[in-house]
Amino acid sequence: MSTVRVLAVSAALLVTSPFLTAQSPRPEGSQAPSASSQVAGIAGNVERGRYLVEHVAMCNECHSTRDASGEIIPGREYMGGNIPFTPPWPNDWAAVAPRNAGLPGYSDAAAMRLLTEGAIGRLGTRLRAPMPRFRMSQQDAADVIAFLRSR
Ligand code: HEC
């Protein structure tokens, strides 16, 4: 490759790389290798799991304990919370989103099924709304599980 061509390619990379960075699914500041753990044979990335849980799936919004003014109590994230509303149509909504820190009662296989097959709970039946019917990829689920196990 000629020097001119190498320079041209390098310049093109310099120009486009900010856009590549902007579209990266990784959260800011997670460039360094982060903790991972095996989840049902897949390496789950704790930091990517945090990003999915806190910024995409929003598990913390329902599964955290809130004070009387509706603010999540620091240190009570993922420790369970009330669902203070139901829709106006006939429904079977759950009143409580139980603790999911550590995913108690869920083997890795059961947690994987929960997140990839539309909210099948540990007893093998579908959980009630408003628990979302997640159909995550196995990798996303492994990352989410790794993060919640670390809580
Ligand atoms: C919109 C609110 C909401 C969101 C968002 C939500 N959940 Fe839930 N979740 C619930 C509710 C409500 C239940 C209880 C369902 C029931 O009792 O049938 C539940 C149940 C669960 C259970 C079952 C606990 C048990 O005792 O069997 C787990 C595990 C769980 N959620 C994990 C998650 C994870 C992981 C996420 C994010 C990836 C998430 N949830 C996001 C509302 C939510």
PDB file of all heavy atoms in Angstrom, residues 52-53 57-63 83 93-100 103-104 106 114-115 121-122 126-132 134 136 144 148, ligand 1:
ATOM      1  N   LEU A  52     -28.146  -2.496  29.970  1.00  0.00           N
ATOM      2  CA  LEU A  52     -29.441  -3.017  29.501  1.00  0.00           C
ATOM      3  C   LEU A  52     -30.510  -2.870  30.580  1.00  0.00           C
ATOM      4  O   LEU A  52     -31.640  -2.478  30.301  1.00  0.00           O
ATOM      5  CB  LEU A  52     -29.298  -4.487  29.088  1.00  0.00           C
ATOM      6  CG  LEU A  52     -28.479  -4.738  27.823  1.00  0.00           C
ATOM      7  CD1 LEU A  52     -28.241  -6.237  27.632  1.00  0.00           C
ATOM      8  CD2 LEU A  52     -29.183  -4.155  26.603  1.00  0.00           C
ATOM      9  N   VAL A  53     -30.147  -3.173  31.823  1.00  0.00           N
ATOM     10  CA  VAL A  53     -31.113  -3.133  32.928  1.00  0.00           C
ATOM     11  C   VAL A  53     -31.540  -1.699  33.235  1.00  0.00           C
ATOM     12  O   VAL A  53     -32.731  -1.415  33.406  1.00  0.00           O
ATOM     13  CB  VAL A  53     -30.503  -3.808  34.175  1.00  0.00           C
ATOM     14  CG1 VAL A  53     -31.252  -3.423  35.440  1.00  0.00           C
ATOM     15  CG2 VAL A  53     -30.491  -5.326  33.993  1.00  0.00           C
ATOM     16  N   ALA A  57     -34.083  -1.928  29.419  1.00  0.00           N
ATOM     17  CA  ALA A  57     -35.235  -2.696  29.929  1.00  0.00           C
ATOM     18  C   ALA A  57     -35.889  -2.022  31.131  1.00  0.00           C
ATOM     19  O   ALA A  57     -37.048  -2.301  31.434  1.00  0.00           O
ATOM     20  CB  ALA A  57     -34.797  -4.118  30.293  1.00  0.00           C
ATOM     21  N   MET A  58     -35.164  -1.139  31.815  1.00  0.00           N
ATOM     22  CA  MET A  58     -35.690  -0.342  32.931  1.00  0.00           C
ATOM     23  C   MET A  58     -36.248  -1.196  34.072  1.00  0.00           C
ATOM     24  O   MET A  58     -37.243  -0.821  34.703  1.00  0.00           O
ATOM     25  CB  MET A  58     -36.771   0.640  32.432  1.00  0.00           C
ATOM     26  CG  MET A  58     -36.451   1.363  31.143  1.00  0.00           C
ATOM     27  SD  MET A  58     -34.993   2.409  31.235  1.00  0.00           S
ATOM     28  CE  MET A  58     -35.614   3.793  32.143  1.00  0.00           C
ATOM     29  N   CYS A  59     -35.622  -2.322  34.353  1.00  0.00           N
ATOM     30  CA  CYS A  59     -36.071  -3.200  35.446  1.00  0.00           C
ATOM     31  C   CYS A  59     -36.165  -2.431  36.764  1.00  0.00           C
ATOM     32  O   CYS A  59     -37.051  -2.688  37.584  1.00  0.00           O
ATOM     33  CB  CYS A  59     -35.100  -4.359  35.655  1.00  0.00           C
ATOM     34  SG  CYS A  59     -34.445  -5.117  34.162  1.00  0.00           S
ATOM     35  N   ASN A  60     -35.227  -1.498  36.961  1.00  0.00           N
ATOM     36  CA  ASN A  60     -35.168  -0.754  38.230  1.00  0.00           C
ATOM     37  C   ASN A  60     -36.415   0.084  38.475  1.00  0.00           C
ATOM     38  O   ASN A  60     -36.789   0.315  39.619  1.00  0.00           O
ATOM     39  CB  ASN A  60     -33.908   0.127  38.258  1.00  0.00           C
ATOM     40  CG  ASN A  60     -33.753   0.960  37.000  1.00  0.00           C
ATOM     41  OD1 ASN A  60     -34.097   0.511  35.905  1.00  0.00           O
ATOM     42  ND2 ASN A  60     -33.255   2.170  37.122  1.00  0.00           N
ATOM     43  N   GLU A  61     -37.090   0.537  37.423  1.00  0.00           N
ATOM     44  CA  GLU A  61     -38.260   1.396  37.614  1.00  0.00           C
ATOM     45  C   GLU A  61     -39.374   0.679  38.373  1.00  0.00           C
ATOM     46  O   GLU A  61     -40.103   1.297  39.141  1.00  0.00           O
ATOM     47  CB  GLU A  61     -38.790   1.885  36.256  1.00  0.00           C
ATOM     48  CG  GLU A  61     -37.869   2.845  35.537  1.00  0.00           C
ATOM     49  CD  GLU A  61     -37.782   4.213  36.225  1.00  0.00           C
ATOM     50  OE1 GLU A  61     -38.729   4.587  36.926  1.00  0.00           O
ATOM     51  OE2 GLU A  61     -36.752   4.887  36.057  1.00  0.00           O
ATOM     52  N   CYS A  62     -39.530  -0.610  38.127  1.00  0.00           N
ATOM     53  CA  CYS A  62     -40.608  -1.360  38.790  1.00  0.00           C
ATOM     54  C   CYS A  62     -40.119  -2.132  40.007  1.00  0.00           C
ATOM     55  O   CYS A  62     -40.885  -2.338  40.949  1.00  0.00           O
ATOM     56  CB  CYS A  62     -41.243  -2.356  37.822  1.00  0.00           C
ATOM     57  SG  CYS A  62     -42.144  -1.593  36.463  1.00  0.00           S
ATOM     58  N   HIS A  63     -38.883  -2.592  39.990  1.00  0.00           N
ATOM     59  CA  HIS A  63     -38.412  -3.539  41.002  1.00  0.00           C
ATOM     60  C   HIS A  63     -37.676  -2.876  42.158  1.00  0.00           C
ATOM     61  O   HIS A  63     -36.996  -3.559  42.910  1.00  0.00           O
ATOM     62  CB  HIS A  63     -37.519  -4.605  40.355  1.00  0.00           C
ATOM     63  CG  HIS A  63     -38.299  -5.652  39.613  1.00  0.00           C
ATOM     64  ND1 HIS A  63     -38.797  -6.789  40.214  1.00  0.00           N
ATOM     65  CD2 HIS A  63     -38.691  -5.717  38.318  1.00  0.00           C
ATOM     66  CE1 HIS A  63     -39.440  -7.522  39.320  1.00  0.00           C
ATOM     67  NE2 HIS A  63     -39.393  -6.897  38.160  1.00  0.00           N
ATOM     68  N   ILE A  83     -46.526  -1.768  42.614  1.00  0.00           N
ATOM     69  CA  ILE A  83     -47.031  -1.235  41.345  1.00  0.00           C
ATOM     70  C   ILE A  83     -48.293  -0.462  41.705  1.00  0.00           C
ATOM     71  O   ILE A  83     -49.324  -1.058  42.000  1.00  0.00           O
ATOM     72  CB  ILE A  83     -47.364  -2.376  40.353  1.00  0.00           C
ATOM     73  CG1 ILE A  83     -46.144  -3.270  40.109  1.00  0.00           C
ATOM     74  CG2 ILE A  83     -47.918  -1.795  39.058  1.00  0.00           C
ATOM     75  CD1 ILE A  83     -45.027  -2.650  39.308  1.00  0.00           C
ATOM     76  N   TRP A  93     -53.377  -7.421  36.816  1.00  0.00           N
ATOM     77  CA  TRP A  93     -52.042  -6.903  37.080  1.00  0.00           C
ATOM     78  C   TRP A  93     -51.564  -7.291  38.473  1.00  0.00           C
ATOM     79  O   TRP A  93     -52.370  -7.373  39.419  1.00  0.00           O
ATOM     80  CB  TRP A  93     -52.035  -5.369  36.973  1.00  0.00           C
ATOM     81  CG  TRP A  93     -51.853  -4.906  35.557  1.00  0.00           C
ATOM     82  CD1 TRP A  93     -52.327  -5.521  34.437  1.00  0.00           C
ATOM     83  CD2 TRP A  93     -51.159  -3.740  35.122  1.00  0.00           C
ATOM     84  NE1 TRP A  93     -51.976  -4.806  33.323  1.00  0.00           N
ATOM     85  CE2 TRP A  93     -51.261  -3.709  33.718  1.00  0.00           C
ATOM     86  CE3 TRP A  93     -50.474  -2.721  35.773  1.00  0.00           C
ATOM     87  CZ2 TRP A  93     -50.682  -2.696  32.959  1.00  0.00           C
ATOM     88  CZ3 TRP A  93     -49.900  -1.707  35.015  1.00  0.00           C
ATOM     89  CH2 TRP A  93     -50.001  -1.703  33.631  1.00  0.00           C
ATOM     90  N   ALA A  94     -50.264  -7.488  38.584  1.00  0.00           N
ATOM     91  CA  ALA A  94     -49.672  -7.772  39.893  1.00  0.00           C
ATOM     92  C   ALA A  94     -49.523  -6.458  40.656  1.00  0.00           C
ATOM     93  O   ALA A  94     -49.217  -5.425  40.064  1.00  0.00           O
ATOM     94  CB  ALA A  94     -48.314  -8.434  39.705  1.00  0.00           C
ATOM     95  N   ALA A  95     -49.724  -6.497  41.975  1.00  0.00           N
ATOM     96  CA  ALA A  95     -49.603  -5.288  42.803  1.00  0.00           C
ATOM     97  C   ALA A  95     -48.164  -5.060  43.250  1.00  0.00           C
ATOM     98  O   ALA A  95     -47.816  -3.970  43.699  1.00  0.00           O
ATOM     99  CB  ALA A  95     -50.518  -5.398  44.017  1.00  0.00           C
ATOM    100  N   VAL A  96     -47.331  -6.088  43.135  1.00  0.00           N
ATOM    101  CA  VAL A  96     -45.955  -6.006  43.632  1.00  0.00           C
ATOM    102  C   VAL A  96     -45.001  -6.555  42.583  1.00  0.00           C
ATOM    103  O   VAL A  96     -45.283  -7.581  41.965  1.00  0.00           O
ATOM    104  CB  VAL A  96     -45.807  -6.819  44.944  1.00  0.00           C
ATOM    105  CG1 VAL A  96     -44.343  -6.907  45.367  1.00  0.00           C
ATOM    106  CG2 VAL A  96     -46.656  -6.213  46.054  1.00  0.00           C
ATOM    107  N   ALA A  97     -43.874  -5.865  42.383  1.00  0.00           N
ATOM    108  CA  ALA A  97     -42.753  -6.408  41.603  1.00  0.00           C
ATOM    109  C   ALA A  97     -41.725  -6.872  42.632  1.00  0.00           C
ATOM    110  O   ALA A  97     -41.115  -6.041  43.306  1.00  0.00           O
ATOM    111  CB  ALA A  97     -42.167  -5.344  40.690  1.00  0.00           C
ATOM    112  N   PRO A  98     -41.556  -8.177  42.799  1.00  0.00           N
ATOM    113  CA  PRO A  98     -40.712  -8.656  43.891  1.00  0.00           C
ATOM    114  C   PRO A  98     -39.235  -8.342  43.681  1.00  0.00           C
ATOM    115  O   PRO A  98     -38.813  -7.957  42.590  1.00  0.00           O
ATOM    116  CB  PRO A  98     -40.952 -10.176  43.889  1.00  0.00           C
ATOM    117  CG  PRO A  98     -41.483 -10.503  42.537  1.00  0.00           C
ATOM    118  CD  PRO A  98     -42.128  -9.270  42.005  1.00  0.00           C
ATOM    119  N   ARG A  99     -38.470  -8.544  44.735  1.00  0.00           N
ATOM    120  CA  ARG A  99     -37.008  -8.377  44.647  1.00  0.00           C
ATOM    121  C   ARG A  99     -36.466  -9.164  43.461  1.00  0.00           C
ATOM    122  O   ARG A  99     -36.813 -10.330  43.279  1.00  0.00           O
ATOM    123  CB  ARG A  99     -36.392  -8.930  45.939  1.00  0.00           C
ATOM    124  CG  ARG A  99     -34.884  -9.035  45.869  1.00  0.00           C
ATOM    125  CD  ARG A  99     -34.325  -9.826  47.052  1.00  0.00           C
ATOM    126  NE  ARG A  99     -32.907 -10.049  46.784  1.00  0.00           N
ATOM    127  CZ  ARG A  99     -31.944  -9.880  47.670  1.00  0.00           C
ATOM    128  NH1 ARG A  99     -32.232  -9.539  48.892  1.00  0.00           N
ATOM    129  NH2 ARG A  99     -30.692 -10.072  47.312  1.00  0.00           N
ATOM    130  N   ASN A 100     -35.617  -8.535  42.668  1.00  0.00           N
ATOM    131  CA  ASN A 100     -34.892  -9.312  41.658  1.00  0.00           C
ATOM    132  C   ASN A 100     -33.374  -9.144  41.774  1.00  0.00           C
ATOM    133  O   ASN A 100     -32.634  -9.691  40.968  1.00  0.00           O
ATOM    134  CB  ASN A 100     -35.403  -9.051  40.231  1.00  0.00           C
ATOM    135  CG  ASN A 100     -35.250  -7.620  39.768  1.00  0.00           C
ATOM    136  OD1 ASN A 100     -34.720  -6.775  40.505  1.00  0.00           O
ATOM    137  ND2 ASN A 100     -35.697  -7.326  38.568  1.00  0.00           N
ATOM    138  N   LEU A 103     -31.556 -12.357  41.611  1.00  0.00           N
ATOM    139  CA  LEU A 103     -32.506 -13.297  40.999  1.00  0.00           C
ATOM    140  C   LEU A 103     -32.771 -14.506  41.896  1.00  0.00           C
ATOM    141  O   LEU A 103     -32.580 -15.662  41.482  1.00  0.00           O
ATOM    142  CB  LEU A 103     -32.011 -13.733  39.611  1.00  0.00           C
ATOM    143  CG  LEU A 103     -32.026 -12.636  38.546  1.00  0.00           C
ATOM    144  CD1 LEU A 103     -31.271 -13.074  37.296  1.00  0.00           C
ATOM    145  CD2 LEU A 103     -33.450 -12.240  38.180  1.00  0.00           C
ATOM    146  N   PRO A 104     -33.246 -14.263  43.128  1.00  0.00           N
ATOM    147  CA  PRO A 104     -33.455 -15.380  44.055  1.00  0.00           C
ATOM    148  C   PRO A 104     -34.502 -16.357  43.524  1.00  0.00           C
ATOM    149  O   PRO A 104     -35.515 -15.949  42.959  1.00  0.00           O
ATOM    150  CB  PRO A 104     -33.955 -14.683  45.333  1.00  0.00           C
ATOM    151  CG  PRO A 104     -34.470 -13.352  44.895  1.00  0.00           C
ATOM    152  CD  PRO A 104     -33.654 -12.967  43.699  1.00  0.00           C
ATOM    153  N   TYR A 106     -34.134 -18.357  41.064  1.00  0.00           N
ATOM    154  CA  TYR A 106     -33.958 -18.633  39.639  1.00  0.00           C
ATOM    155  C   TYR A 106     -32.594 -19.243  39.369  1.00  0.00           C
ATOM    156  O   TYR A 106     -31.573 -18.617  39.649  1.00  0.00           O
ATOM    157  CB  TYR A 106     -34.115 -17.349  38.812  1.00  0.00           C
ATOM    158  CG  TYR A 106     -35.562 -16.956  38.634  1.00  0.00           C
ATOM    159  CD1 TYR A 106     -36.256 -16.349  39.671  1.00  0.00           C
ATOM    160  CD2 TYR A 106     -36.243 -17.246  37.458  1.00  0.00           C
ATOM    161  CE1 TYR A 106     -37.598 -16.024  39.534  1.00  0.00           C
ATOM    162  CE2 TYR A 106     -37.585 -16.920  37.320  1.00  0.00           C
ATOM    163  CZ  TYR A 106     -38.259 -16.318  38.359  1.00  0.00           C
ATOM    164  OH  TYR A 106     -39.588 -16.008  38.229  1.00  0.00           O
ATOM    165  N   LEU A 114     -36.897 -16.964  31.456  1.00  0.00           N
ATOM    166  CA  LEU A 114     -37.703 -15.791  31.818  1.00  0.00           C
ATOM    167  C   LEU A 114     -37.503 -14.645  30.834  1.00  0.00           C
ATOM    168  O   LEU A 114     -38.460 -14.003  30.396  1.00  0.00           O
ATOM    169  CB  LEU A 114     -37.303 -15.331  33.228  1.00  0.00           C
ATOM    170  CG  LEU A 114     -37.915 -14.016  33.718  1.00  0.00           C
ATOM    171  CD1 LEU A 114     -39.273 -14.284  34.338  1.00  0.00           C
ATOM    172  CD2 LEU A 114     -37.013 -13.314  34.704  1.00  0.00           C
ATOM    173  N   LEU A 115     -36.232 -14.390  30.484  1.00  0.00           N
ATOM    174  CA  LEU A 115     -35.905 -13.201  29.690  1.00  0.00           C
ATOM    175  C   LEU A 115     -35.971 -13.428  28.182  1.00  0.00           C
ATOM    176  O   LEU A 115     -36.020 -12.470  27.418  1.00  0.00           O
ATOM    177  CB  LEU A 115     -34.520 -12.687  30.077  1.00  0.00           C
ATOM    178  CG  LEU A 115     -34.410 -12.194  31.532  1.00  0.00           C
ATOM    179  CD1 LEU A 115     -32.967 -11.863  31.885  1.00  0.00           C
ATOM    180  CD2 LEU A 115     -35.310 -10.983  31.762  1.00  0.00           C
ATOM    181  N   GLY A 121     -42.159 -17.592  34.516  1.00  0.00           N
ATOM    182  CA  GLY A 121     -41.585 -17.531  35.858  1.00  0.00           C
ATOM    183  C   GLY A 121     -40.970 -18.848  36.293  1.00  0.00           C
ATOM    184  O   GLY A 121     -41.004 -19.847  35.573  1.00  0.00           O
ATOM    185  N   ARG A 122     -40.430 -18.833  37.522  1.00  0.00           N
ATOM    186  CA  ARG A 122     -39.713 -20.023  37.998  1.00  0.00           C
ATOM    187  C   ARG A 122     -40.630 -21.227  38.155  1.00  0.00           C
ATOM    188  O   ARG A 122     -40.180 -22.368  38.142  1.00  0.00           O
ATOM    189  CB  ARG A 122     -38.987 -19.712  39.313  1.00  0.00           C
ATOM    190  CG  ARG A 122     -39.882 -19.335  40.464  1.00  0.00           C
ATOM    191  CD  ARG A 122     -39.083 -18.647  41.573  1.00  0.00           C
ATOM    192  NE  ARG A 122     -39.863 -17.582  42.170  1.00  0.00           N
ATOM    193  CZ  ARG A 122     -40.710 -17.776  43.197  1.00  0.00           C
ATOM    194  NH1 ARG A 122     -40.842 -18.948  43.738  1.00  0.00           N
ATOM    195  NH2 ARG A 122     -41.399 -16.761  43.660  1.00  0.00           N
ATOM    196  N   ARG A 126     -46.594 -18.130  33.024  1.00  0.00           N
ATOM    197  CA  ARG A 126     -46.297 -16.757  32.607  1.00  0.00           C
ATOM    198  C   ARG A 126     -46.602 -15.792  33.750  1.00  0.00           C
ATOM    199  O   ARG A 126     -47.659 -15.898  34.390  1.00  0.00           O
ATOM    200  CB  ARG A 126     -47.113 -16.399  31.365  1.00  0.00           C
ATOM    201  CG  ARG A 126     -46.924 -14.955  30.925  1.00  0.00           C
ATOM    202  CD  ARG A 126     -47.175 -14.756  29.438  1.00  0.00           C
ATOM    203  NE  ARG A 126     -46.040 -15.246  28.658  1.00  0.00           N
ATOM    204  CZ  ARG A 126     -46.156 -16.073  27.614  1.00  0.00           C
ATOM    205  NH1 ARG A 126     -47.329 -16.494  27.239  1.00  0.00           N
ATOM    206  NH2 ARG A 126     -45.083 -16.468  26.959  1.00  0.00           N
ATOM    207  N   LEU A 127     -45.681 -14.890  34.017  1.00  0.00           N
ATOM    208  CA  LEU A 127     -45.896 -13.884  35.058  1.00  0.00           C
ATOM    209  C   LEU A 127     -46.959 -12.890  34.603  1.00  0.00           C
ATOM    210  O   LEU A 127     -47.205 -12.715  33.407  1.00  0.00           O
ATOM    211  CB  LEU A 127     -44.583 -13.156  35.351  1.00  0.00           C
ATOM    212  CG  LEU A 127     -43.454 -14.034  35.906  1.00  0.00           C
ATOM    213  CD1 LEU A 127     -42.178 -13.216  36.021  1.00  0.00           C
ATOM    214  CD2 LEU A 127     -43.827 -14.645  37.249  1.00  0.00           C
ATOM    215  N   ARG A 128     -47.585 -12.248  35.592  1.00  0.00           N
ATOM    216  CA  ARG A 128     -48.624 -11.265  35.260  1.00  0.00           C
ATOM    217  C   ARG A 128     -48.009  -9.951  34.785  1.00  0.00           C
ATOM    218  O   ARG A 128     -46.868  -9.621  35.119  1.00  0.00           O
ATOM    219  CB  ARG A 128     -49.482 -10.999  36.513  1.00  0.00           C
ATOM    220  CG  ARG A 128     -50.373 -12.172  36.884  1.00  0.00           C
ATOM    221  CD  ARG A 128     -50.989 -11.977  38.239  1.00  0.00           C
ATOM    222  NE  ARG A 128     -49.966 -12.017  39.290  1.00  0.00           N
ATOM    223  CZ  ARG A 128     -50.186 -11.718  40.564  1.00  0.00           C
ATOM    224  NH1 ARG A 128     -51.380 -11.338  40.963  1.00  0.00           N
ATOM    225  NH2 ARG A 128     -49.208 -11.807  41.448  1.00  0.00           N
ATOM    226  N   ALA A 129     -48.816  -9.193  34.062  1.00  0.00           N
ATOM    227  CA  ALA A 129     -48.443  -7.820  33.710  1.00  0.00           C
ATOM    228  C   ALA A 129     -48.416  -7.007  35.011  1.00  0.00           C
ATOM    229  O   ALA A 129     -49.093  -7.388  35.977  1.00  0.00           O
ATOM    230  CB  ALA A 129     -49.475  -7.247  32.739  1.00  0.00           C
ATOM    231  N   PRO A 130     -47.659  -5.924  35.051  1.00  0.00           N
ATOM    232  CA  PRO A 130     -46.943  -5.329  33.919  1.00  0.00           C
ATOM    233  C   PRO A 130     -45.523  -5.860  33.708  1.00  0.00           C
ATOM    234  O   PRO A 130     -44.742  -5.198  33.027  1.00  0.00           O
ATOM    235  CB  PRO A 130     -46.916  -3.850  34.296  1.00  0.00           C
ATOM    236  CG  PRO A 130     -46.823  -3.862  35.799  1.00  0.00           C
ATOM    237  CD  PRO A 130     -47.650  -5.031  36.234  1.00  0.00           C
ATOM    238  N   MET A 131     -45.168  -7.039  34.276  1.00  0.00           N
ATOM    239  CA  MET A 131     -43.855  -7.596  33.943  1.00  0.00           C
ATOM    240  C   MET A 131     -43.803  -7.759  32.421  1.00  0.00           C
ATOM    241  O   MET A 131     -44.629  -8.465  31.841  1.00  0.00           O
ATOM    242  CB  MET A 131     -43.659  -8.945  34.646  1.00  0.00           C
ATOM    243  CG  MET A 131     -42.406  -9.694  34.239  1.00  0.00           C
ATOM    244  SD  MET A 131     -40.866  -8.815  34.638  1.00  0.00           S
ATOM    245  CE  MET A 131     -39.680  -9.912  33.851  1.00  0.00           C
ATOM    246  N   PRO A 132     -42.854  -7.074  31.750  1.00  0.00           N
ATOM    247  CA  PRO A 132     -42.816  -7.138  30.284  1.00  0.00           C
ATOM    248  C   PRO A 132     -42.509  -8.538  29.775  1.00  0.00           C
ATOM    249  O   PRO A 132     -41.839  -9.323  30.433  1.00  0.00           O
ATOM    250  CB  PRO A 132     -41.684  -6.162  29.917  1.00  0.00           C
ATOM    251  CG  PRO A 132     -41.508  -5.286  31.111  1.00  0.00           C
ATOM    252  CD  PRO A 132     -41.837  -6.145  32.291  1.00  0.00           C
ATOM    253  N   PHE A 134     -40.356 -10.059  27.867  1.00  0.00           N
ATOM    254  CA  PHE A 134     -39.063  -9.898  27.194  1.00  0.00           C
ATOM    255  C   PHE A 134     -38.767 -11.089  26.288  1.00  0.00           C
ATOM    256  O   PHE A 134     -38.990 -12.240  26.662  1.00  0.00           O
ATOM    257  CB  PHE A 134     -37.932  -9.780  28.219  1.00  0.00           C
ATOM    258  CG  PHE A 134     -37.989  -8.519  29.023  1.00  0.00           C
ATOM    259  CD1 PHE A 134     -38.239  -8.560  30.387  1.00  0.00           C
ATOM    260  CD2 PHE A 134     -37.788  -7.281  28.433  1.00  0.00           C
ATOM    261  CE1 PHE A 134     -38.289  -7.406  31.142  1.00  0.00           C
ATOM    262  CE2 PHE A 134     -37.831  -6.109  29.182  1.00  0.00           C
ATOM    263  CZ  PHE A 134     -38.090  -6.177  30.539  1.00  0.00           C
ATOM    264  N   MET A 136     -35.460 -11.371  24.797  1.00  0.00           N
ATOM    265  CA  MET A 136     -34.074 -10.938  24.572  1.00  0.00           C
ATOM    266  C   MET A 136     -33.298 -12.007  23.818  1.00  0.00           C
ATOM    267  O   MET A 136     -33.661 -13.177  23.828  1.00  0.00           O
ATOM    268  CB  MET A 136     -33.384 -10.700  25.916  1.00  0.00           C
ATOM    269  CG  MET A 136     -33.974  -9.580  26.730  1.00  0.00           C
ATOM    270  SD  MET A 136     -33.000  -9.319  28.242  1.00  0.00           S
ATOM    271  CE  MET A 136     -34.003  -8.047  29.014  1.00  0.00           C
ATOM    272  N   VAL A 144     -27.699  -9.405  31.359  1.00  0.00           N
ATOM    273  CA  VAL A 144     -28.645  -8.940  32.390  1.00  0.00           C
ATOM    274  C   VAL A 144     -28.545  -9.825  33.636  1.00  0.00           C
ATOM    275  O   VAL A 144     -28.504  -9.326  34.762  1.00  0.00           O
ATOM    276  CB  VAL A 144     -30.091  -8.938  31.827  1.00  0.00           C
ATOM    277  CG1 VAL A 144     -31.120  -8.802  32.943  1.00  0.00           C
ATOM    278  CG2 VAL A 144     -30.258  -7.814  30.809  1.00  0.00           C
ATOM    279  N   LEU A 148     -27.531  -8.692  37.469  1.00  0.00           N
ATOM    280  CA  LEU A 148     -28.432  -8.832  38.624  1.00  0.00           C
ATOM    281  C   LEU A 148     -27.862  -9.790  39.665  1.00  0.00           C
ATOM    282  O   LEU A 148     -28.083  -9.617  40.861  1.00  0.00           O
ATOM    283  CB  LEU A 148     -29.829  -9.271  38.172  1.00  0.00           C
ATOM    284  CG  LEU A 148     -30.618  -8.152  37.490  1.00  0.00           C
ATOM    285  CD1 LEU A 148     -31.897  -8.680  36.877  1.00  0.00           C
ATOM    286  CD2 LEU A 148     -30.939  -7.028  38.489  1.00  0.00           C
TER     287      LEU A 148
HETATM  288  C1  HEC B   1     -43.219  -2.396  34.087  1.00  0.00           C
HETATM  289  C2  HEC B   1     -42.735  -2.983  35.339  1.00  0.00           C
HETATM  290  C3  HEC B   1     -41.670  -4.049  35.280  1.00  0.00           C
HETATM  291  C4  HEC B   1     -40.481  -4.015  34.599  1.00  0.00           C
HETATM  292  C5  HEC B   1     -39.945  -2.919  33.704  1.00  0.00           C
HETATM  293  C6  HEC B   1     -39.806  -5.253  34.916  1.00  0.00           C
HETATM  294  N1  HEC B   1     -40.549  -6.006  35.748  1.00  0.00           N
HETATM  295 FE1  HEC B   1     -40.076  -7.833  36.498  1.00  0.00          FE
HETATM  296  N2  HEC B   1     -41.890  -7.973  37.380  1.00  0.00           N
HETATM  297  C7  HEC B   1     -42.836  -6.984  37.407  1.00  0.00           C
HETATM  298  C8  HEC B   1     -43.999  -7.453  38.127  1.00  0.00           C
HETATM  299  C9  HEC B   1     -45.268  -6.673  38.395  1.00  0.00           C
HETATM  300  C10 HEC B   1     -43.717  -8.773  38.539  1.00  0.00           C
HETATM  301  C11 HEC B   1     -44.631  -9.725  39.319  1.00  0.00           C
HETATM  302  C12 HEC B   1     -45.414 -10.564  38.343  1.00  0.00           C
HETATM  303  C13 HEC B   1     -46.348 -11.547  39.029  1.00  0.00           C
HETATM  304  O1  HEC B   1     -46.461 -11.512  40.266  1.00  0.00           O
HETATM  305  O2  HEC B   1     -46.972 -12.352  38.308  1.00  0.00           O
HETATM  306  C14 HEC B   1     -42.378  -9.059  38.050  1.00  0.00           C
HETATM  307  C15 HEC B   1     -41.733 -10.261  38.248  1.00  0.00           C
HETATM  308  C16 HEC B   1     -40.392 -10.483  37.973  1.00  0.00           C
HETATM  309  C17 HEC B   1     -39.661 -11.655  38.371  1.00  0.00           C
HETATM  310  C18 HEC B   1     -40.234 -12.863  39.092  1.00  0.00           C
HETATM  311  C19 HEC B   1     -39.832 -12.907  40.539  1.00  0.00           C
HETATM  312  C20 HEC B   1     -40.320 -14.158  41.200  1.00  0.00           C
HETATM  313  O3  HEC B   1     -40.457 -14.132  42.439  1.00  0.00           O
HETATM  314  O4  HEC B   1     -40.597 -15.162  40.519  1.00  0.00           O
HETATM  315  C21 HEC B   1     -38.372 -11.474  37.951  1.00  0.00           C
HETATM  316  C22 HEC B   1     -37.193 -12.407  38.163  1.00  0.00           C
HETATM  317  C23 HEC B   1     -38.323 -10.217  37.251  1.00  0.00           C
HETATM  318  N3  HEC B   1     -39.575  -9.635  37.300  1.00  0.00           N
HETATM  319  C24 HEC B   1     -37.199  -9.707  36.649  1.00  0.00           C
HETATM  320  C25 HEC B   1     -37.206  -8.563  35.859  1.00  0.00           C
HETATM  321  C26 HEC B   1     -36.081  -8.130  35.077  1.00  0.00           C
HETATM  322  C27 HEC B   1     -34.759  -8.852  35.020  1.00  0.00           C
HETATM  323  C28 HEC B   1     -36.466  -7.000  34.431  1.00  0.00           C
HETATM  324  C29 HEC B   1     -35.682  -6.178  33.451  1.00  0.00           C
HETATM  325  C30 HEC B   1     -34.964  -6.923  32.408  1.00  0.00           C
HETATM  326  C31 HEC B   1     -37.826  -6.710  34.842  1.00  0.00           C
HETATM  327  N4  HEC B   1     -38.238  -7.681  35.692  1.00  0.00           N
HETATM  328  C32 HEC B   1     -38.569  -5.602  34.426  1.00  0.00           C
HETATM  329  C33 HEC B   1     -42.739  -5.730  36.828  1.00  0.00           C
HETATM  330  C34 HEC B   1     -41.712  -5.310  36.002  1.00  0.00           C
END
